[in-house]
Amino acid sequence: MPESNSVQCPLCGQSNQCAMAAGLAPAQCWCMTRPVAPEALQRLPPERRGLACICPQCARPVPAAADMIEHPTSEEHPCPPTTSK
């Protein structure tokens, strides 16, 4: 996990795009208008929570593996049908 500072995402190390860290009003922060997935916050170890904001990319929900697979139709299936002997 990257070192923590107020302008870097503690999960990926990229800019967290935090308005408050940039000295702007909290209402101008991306997290006030976009959802933050609870599981994203749970990926932070307890000792890293509350020190820096996570970035918009890391705040998105992680899709389940089954949701990421496109299931081909029978006509498109890459594997030949099995035959019994």
Side-chain angles (χ1 to χ4, degrees):
M1 218 169 260
E3 289 297 316
S4 182
N5 73 44
S6 63
V7 297
Q8 286 182 308
C9 174
L11 291 174
C12 71
Q14 298 299 313
S15 170
N16 59 17
Q17 303 173 32
C18 179
M20 291 183 289
L24 302 172
Q28 293 180 288
C29 197
W30 67 266
C31 69
M32 297 297 180
T33 59
R34 289 191 238 162
V36 176
E39 63 267 20
L41 298 175
Q42 291 171 354
R43 290 196 309 263
L44 285 169
E47 67 274 6
R48 304 284 300 265
R49 294 178 188 171
L51 300 176
C53 297
I54 61 175
C55 70
Q57 183 71 22
C58 289
R60 294 193 299 182
V62 176
D67 294 340
M68 295 174 60
I69 300 170
E70 284 189 36
H71 297 283
T73 64
S74 58
E75 295 83 35
E76 300 171 324
H77 204 280
C79 300
T82 57
T83 56
S84 19
K85 292 184 178 186

